Amino acid sequence: MFIIGAQRSGSTYLYHLLNSHPCILMNKPINPEPKFFLEKYKFQRGKNFYEEKYFPDRNLENIKYIGEKSTSYIESKDAAIRIKNFYPDARILVILRDPVNRALSNYKFSVENGLENLSFSDALSKEDIRIKKLETPTSVSPYAYKARGMYINYIREYEAQFSRDKIYVLIFEELLTGNVEEEKLAIWLDLEPKFIAPIGSDKINSSKSEYPVDRQLLKELIGEYQDSINDLESFLGRRITIWRNNHINILCS
């Protein structure tokens, strides 16, 4: 089982939720993320090395799934291919957050970690150039604030490797509304719904600072994400009402 992303979308919450289940063993430690399948030299160490390093208790009788969280995987076609090589029947978990809020959270995270010194507006306007030209110490560009929210583009790369029934998409905001989404996830995993919601809820790994945001800029982002959200909803076969309502509130403010 792999939580492949997206970044700043509740993947740490999902990790702790899954790790609370008696039949699931998640990678240890949680940080730094393994990112094992991103690098060819790591992948070449082999499946046994991988499992022994991150899942030393994998042979316990009750364990049905071992699971890894590495949110950079969603942006890597090579990672998808390598995961398929080791685990052709892997379960792929994607957790997504309203892309407008995710972009802002990503920006705040970059600022707090010393990776960003531009305003949010300037960072968005220069995003394409910075992604192409700047080298960073991170596994993926910290500046893909807008592009990283075009979720369907990344999901399709994984759909090319894994059958549709092996990919499960959760909406972070829906996951926080009650036990219904947890029960659906348990059914998909063929497990009893014995999850224990993490303490702190949506505050896990949250931004520590507040930044003034131009409401007009958020409205422009909503417009830019519409086609991508439409395609994601087509993939899911339903509307993401909780995002749509949030956008209406922003647009009417």
Side-chain angles (χ1 to χ4, degrees), residues 160-198:
Q161 300 299 324
F162 297 90
S163 60
R164 175 66 183 86
D165 65 321
K166 298 297 184 185
I167 302 173
Y168 194 86
V169 177
L170 299 103
I171 303 302
F172 178 53
E173 295 86 348
E174 293 175 347
L175 188 59
L176 297 178
T177 60
N179 297 327
V180 174
E181 298 306 315
E182 295 175 12
E183 292 173 359
K184 289 179 182 177
L185 177 59
I187 291 171
W188 185 72
L189 293 170
D190 194 25
L191 295 174
E192 291 293 321
K194 295 182 178 180
F195 300 114
I196 301 173

Side-chain angles (χ1 to χ4, degrees), residues 36-243:
F36 185 87
F37 296 90
L38 282 183
E39 302 291 345
K40 185 177 180 180
Y41 80 92
K42 290 184 179 180
F43 176 71
Q44 288 177 334
R45 291 177 176 176
K47 184 177 177 179
N48 288 339
F49 174 88
Y50 170 71
E51 293 188 354
E52 289 173 5
K53 181 173 178 63
Y54 296 107
F55 311 100
D57 297 327
R58 64 192 179 282
N59 293 321
L60 292 176
E61 184 177 353
N62 60 302
I63 299 301
K64 182 172 180 179
Y65 292 100
I66 60 173
E68 177 192 343
K69 178 183 89 77
S70 288
T71 55
S72 297
Y73 285 167
I74 195 171
E75 299 178 47
S76 173
K77 180 179 179 180
D78 288 339
I81 293 170
R82 290 169 184 151
I83 291 171
K84 179 69 177 294
N85 185 287
F86 277 8
Y87 302 102
D89 295 319
R91 300 293 186 106
I92 306 298
L93 293 173
V94 187
I95 184 164
L96 306 177
R97 180 182 183 182
D98 182 332
V100 176
N101 292 336
R102 195 224 66 81
L104 181 57
S105 178
N106 194 164
Y107 170 77
K108 291 178 180 180
F109 183 83
S110 292
V111 170
E112 290 167 3
N113 286 274
L115 298 168
E116 180 63 85
N117 54 21
L118 298 181
S119 68
F120 189 38
S121 176
D122 287 345
L124 289 178
S125 67
K126 297 179 180 179
E127 177 173 320
D128 291 343
I129 295 174
R130 298 172 91 195
I131 290 174
K132 293 176 182 177
K133 292 187 176 181
L134 291 183
E135 294 185 2
T136 68
T138 54
S139 56
V140 292
S141 173
Y143 308 123
Y145 307 118
K146 184 165 53 180
R148 191 163 285 131
M150 304 293 182
Y151 302 128
I152 192 63
N153 297 338
Y154 304 116
I155 291 173
R156 283 172 175 154
E157 291 288 356
Y158 274 79
E159 191 180 19
Q161 300 299 324
F162 297 90
S163 60
R164 175 66 183 86
D165 65 321
K166 298 297 184 185
I167 302 173
Y168 194 86
V169 177
L170 299 103
I171 303 302
F172 178 53
E173 295 86 348
E174 293 175 347
L175 188 59
L176 297 178
T177 60
N179 297 327
V180 174
E181 298 306 315
E182 295 175 12
E183 292 173 359
K184 289 179 182 177
L185 177 59
I187 291 171
W188 185 72
L189 293 170
D190 194 25
L191 295 174
E192 291 293 321
K194 295 182 178 180
F195 300 114
I196 301 173
I199 297 174
S201 187
D202 59 331
K203 299 303 180 183
I204 292 178
N205 205 25
S206 62
S207 175
K208 301 175 179 62
S209 305
E210 294 297 329
Y211 298 90
V213 180
D214 182 351
R215 301 292 288 184
Q216 183 58 37
L217 185 59
L218 297 183
K219 292 177 182 180
E220 291 172 5
L221 273 177
I222 289 172
E224 293 189 53
Y225 279 126
Q226 287 313 296
D227 288 344
S228 177
I229 293 175
N230 289 339
D231 289 344
L232 177 61
E233 289 176 331
S234 295
F235 178 85
L236 296 175
R238 66 180 181 88
R239 284 178 62 81
I240 308 174
T241 305
I242 200 163
W243 291 0

